[in-house]
């Protein structure tokens, strides 16, 4: 157990110093499940040691969310009280660093009245939106995972409870680049240097389209707007130097493995085959393929979960179009773990993937200046859904075609094919 204590200490420090990068004199807020009080204590200690002026911990508990949903009226669920508003104003003024820990039971909200919840959010959202807008990209934040017994049982159903919990913690540490005997801070420095080198290279190419091919049957082309950027890894806080006197580099997701972009909506052709199961709306979709014509999914099949796949692709008018292309080497820790986590933070980083649904406007320079129609013209899809599914494996090759028709290898057998 001593070893586990030490790893948890290291993990808390990594989240505070490398993840959210708490600055001297800055307040910190932590959102975490009540049963993760040990990690909450370690995060709080690490935050104070990094110079936090105050640390506020907001504990949550899935059964309480269920009770509120059951007994509150929609109006009460939607209510933004005077106390809530005062807190939001405090956040706007003081811009705390935000740490969110995900550990929930993937099935823990079964039985919740989702329609009631959605009605409440629809009323609540416009009231808190002005506060969110004022804080947008002005503070550091991070999402990281913590193992809970219910989540562990879902991921490792065949193991006894204590072994499942230990196995999930181990997977969380490893995928967060905390392999035993290595310096996690150094690992993340290297990881981010690699992100930057690959991103810079991709951004210099201004590819016209990418061509995916695998022995499994994937043969798929997706076109890019030459102005769109590739993005991945950590980032510098906007206004960091003005506020703190120096750049503040932080990592919003721990783990993170993907370098991603947003393709042109009506320009994709061919068929992709899934390489990992997709967990969607509490159900598994396995061994499926989707064929695209003029950007739109026109044909699909699945060995299991076909009805859920139907529902997903037909969710709204644009759910059948692609919003994201992401590159993840097969050698990355999540891919190598072979684990289905039933948690987006991990599963979206499992291998090369594409997403059906909404694209990312912020991958265009000065995106705030564009109207929705102008973004649509650039090729950015807009949909209610954004669902990643994995198409990467050690058999995947990807070529990029430049504006003048030159073919440049990007991936060979699931790994980067160019030197940086
Ligand atoms: Zn992604």
């Amino acid at each position: 157990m001593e070893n586990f204590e030490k790893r948890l200490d290291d993990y808390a420090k990594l989240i505070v110093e490398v993840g959210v990068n708490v600055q001297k004199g800055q307040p910190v807020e932590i959102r975490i499940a009540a049963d993760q009080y040990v990690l909450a204590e370690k995060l709080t200690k690490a935050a104070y040691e990094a110079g936090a002026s105050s640390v506020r911990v907001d504990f949550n508990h899935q059964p309480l969310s269920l009770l509120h949903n059951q007994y509150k009226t929609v109006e009460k669920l939607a209510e933004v009280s005077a106390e809530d508003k005062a807190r939001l104003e405090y956040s706007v003024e003081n811009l705390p660093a935000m740490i969110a820990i995900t550990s929930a039971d993937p099935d823990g909200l079964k039985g919740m009245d989702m329609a009631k919840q959605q009605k409440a959010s629809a009323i609540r959202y416009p009231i808190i939106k002005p506060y969110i807008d004022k804080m947008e990209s002005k503070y550091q934040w991070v999402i990281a995972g913590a193992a809970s017994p219910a989540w562990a049982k879902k991921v490792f159903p065949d193991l006894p409870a204590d072994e499942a919990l230990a196995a999930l913690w181990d997977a969380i540490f490893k995928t967060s680049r905390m392999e035993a005997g290595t310096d996690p801070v150094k690992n993340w420095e290297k990881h981010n240097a690699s992100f930057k080198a690959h991103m810079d290279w991709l951004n210099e190419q201004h590819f016209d389209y990418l061509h995916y091919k695998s022995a499994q049957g994937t043969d798929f082309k997706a076109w890019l707007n030459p102005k769109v950027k590739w993005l991945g890894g950590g980032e510098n806080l906007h206004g960091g130097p003005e506020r703190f006197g120096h750049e503040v580099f932080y990592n919003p997701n721990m783990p993170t493995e993907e370098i991603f972009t947003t393709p042109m909506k009506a320009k994709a052709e061919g068929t992709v085959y899934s390489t990992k199961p997709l967990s969607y709306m509490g159900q598994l979709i396995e061994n499926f393929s989707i064929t695209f014509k003029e950007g739109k999914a026109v044909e699909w099949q699945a060995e299991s979960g076909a009805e859920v796949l139907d529902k997903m692709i037909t969710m709204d008018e644009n759910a059948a179009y692609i919003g994201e292309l992401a590159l993840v080497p097969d050698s990355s820790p999540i891919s190598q773990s072979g684990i289905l986590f039933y948690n987006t933070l991990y599963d979206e980083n499992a291998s090369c993937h594409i997403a059906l649904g909404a694209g990312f406007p912020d991958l265009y320079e000065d995106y705030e200046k564009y109207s929705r129609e102008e973004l649509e013209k650039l090729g950015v899809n807009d949909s209610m859904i954004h669902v990643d599914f994995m198409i990467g494996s050690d058999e995947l090759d990807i070529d990029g075609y430049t504006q003048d028709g030159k073919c440049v290898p990007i991936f060979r057998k699931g790994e980067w094919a160019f030197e940086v």
Side-chain angles (χ1 to χ4, degrees):
M1 269 330 257
E2 196 184 316
N3 185 36
F4 178 74
E5 279 288 321
K6 164 89 175 72
R7 286 185 99 184
L8 203 59
D9 280 328
D10 290 347
Y11 187 48
K13 249 179 96 124
L14 188 72
I15 292 168
V16 165
E17 292 176 10
V18 177
V20 82
N21 195 358
V22 170
Q23 296 297 298
K24 286 205 168 57
Q26 183 177 26
V28 174
E29 283 188 23
I30 302 171
R31 292 182 197 145
I32 190 167
D35 60 3
Q36 296 293 339
Y37 57 87
V38 177
L39 179 58
E41 187 185 327
K42 291 182 187 301
L43 287 167
T44 301
K45 182 161 182 256
Y48 280 128
E49 280 173 355
S53 58
S54 69
V55 180
R56 176 178 173 121
V57 182
D58 278 337
F59 285 111
N60 52 62
H61 186 51
Q62 272 180 316
L64 296 186
S65 306
L66 279 172
L67 288 169
H68 294 315
N69 173 266
Q70 188 184 344
Y71 287 101
K72 276 187 176 177
T73 60
V74 171
E75 291 68 37
K76 274 290 160 193
L77 276 173
E79 185 179 57
V80 183
S81 65
E83 187 195 347
D84 295 338
K85 281 187 185 154
R87 271 202 70 188
L88 285 162
E89 270 155 29
Y90 175 87
S91 291
V92 169
E93 230 161 85
N94 296 281
L95 300 170
M98 303 272 194
I99 298 172
I101 302 299
T102 160
S103 63
D105 175 359
D107 301 323
L109 296 182
K110 268 198 180 140
M112 182 177 258
D113 182 345
M114 293 314 283
K116 190 174 176 184
Q117 208 65 23
Q118 271 159 9
K119 256 188 233 160
S121 319
I123 302 169
R124 192 182 162 85
Y125 188 67
I127 308 171
I128 59 171
K129 179 87 166 48
Y131 300 96
I132 295 173
D133 286 347
K134 275 188 212 159
M135 294 164 62
E136 176 83 47
S137 66
K138 287 186 187 153
Y139 62 95
Q140 318 97 283
W141 56 276
V142 65
I143 304 178
S148 64
W151 182 17
K153 190 177 159 45
K154 177 83 180 175
V155 179
F156 301 106
D158 301 327
L159 291 182
D162 55 337
E163 281 176 40
L165 189 64
L168 184 54
W169 268 121
D170 194 54
I172 288 171
F173 292 145
K174 278 193 184 136
T175 56
S176 305
R177 298 184 176 256
M178 288 190 26
E179 298 90 347
T182 67
D183 177 348
V185 177
K186 286 240 165 65
N187 293 345
W188 275 84
E189 274 169 16
K190 254 173 71 186
H191 191 34
N192 271 308
S194 163
F195 267 129
K196 186 169 185 319
H198 288 99
M199 233 157 60
D200 288 350
W201 183 89
L202 286 162
N203 282 326
E204 278 160 23
Q205 307 303 313
H206 303 286
F207 284 123
D208 181 26
Y209 68 94
L210 305 193
H211 186 188
Y212 294 70
K213 262 185 295 185
S214 84
Q216 212 192 355
T218 289
D219 188 353
F220 168 73
K221 289 176 183 168
W223 275 259
L224 300 172
N225 187 315
K227 285 191 212 148
V228 78
K229 286 182 288 187
W230 291 85
L231 199 70
E235 55 197 82
N236 279 322
L237 176 66
H238 291 286
E242 291 80 357
R243 191 168 158 210
F244 297 109
H246 54 87
E247 290 289 4
V248 178
F249 190 81
Y250 70 106
N251 288 281
N253 283 356
M254 292 187 123
T256 181
E257 299 293 340
E258 56 173 358
I259 296 182
F260 60 96
T261 191
T262 210
M264 288 178 80
K265 180 184 164 185
K267 296 191 79 176
E269 301 290 333
T271 302
V272 290
Y273 281 78
S274 71
T275 51
K276 297 189 194 272
L278 168 63
S279 167
Y280 185 67
M281 304 206 311
Q283 278 173 278
L284 273 194
I285 311 170
E286 287 176 288
N287 296 321
F288 59 100
S289 67
I290 305 178
T291 300
F292 295 88
K293 250 194 189 113
E294 292 175 355
K296 191 176 186 183
V298 289
E299 234 180 271
W300 53 90
Q301 57 82 34
E303 248 169 51
S304 62
E307 325 75 57
V308 199
L309 185 62
D310 288 349
K311 218 189 231 176
M312 185 180 112
I313 297 179
T314 56
M315 188 69 85
D316 62 22
E317 192 189 343
N318 289 330
Y321 291 91
I322 297 167
E324 176 189 352
L325 305 175
L327 304 174
V328 180
D330 186 63
S331 55
S332 70
I334 299 175
S335 175
Q336 287 302 307
S337 79
I339 297 168
L340 179 63
F341 284 87
Y342 299 91
N343 181 311
T344 312
L345 176 64
Y346 296 87
D347 293 331
E348 76 167 3
N349 282 295
S351 81
C352 281
H353 57 268
I354 66 180
L356 283 172
F360 304 118
D362 57 344
L363 296 178
Y364 285 91
E365 202 74 57
D366 299 324
Y367 67 97
E368 307 96 328
K369 294 183 188 143
Y370 294 113
S371 67
R372 192 61 246 180
E373 294 70 45
E374 287 169 322
L375 286 169
E376 182 87 27
K377 254 186 222 149
L378 291 172
V380 185
N381 190 26
D382 189 18
S383 166
M384 243 169 78
I385 68 159
H386 176 97
V387 185
D388 292 328
F389 61 96
M390 303 299 134
I391 60 169
S393 71
D394 60 0
E395 290 183 335
L396 181 67
D397 291 345
I398 307 172
D399 288 319
Y401 285 81
T402 59
Q403 301 297 321
D404 49 13
K406 211 172 76 191
C407 171
V408 187
I410 301 175
F411 261 60
R412 282 294 174 270
K413 297 206 167 299
E415 300 298 327
W416 295 115
F418 54 89
E419 292 295 324
V420 289

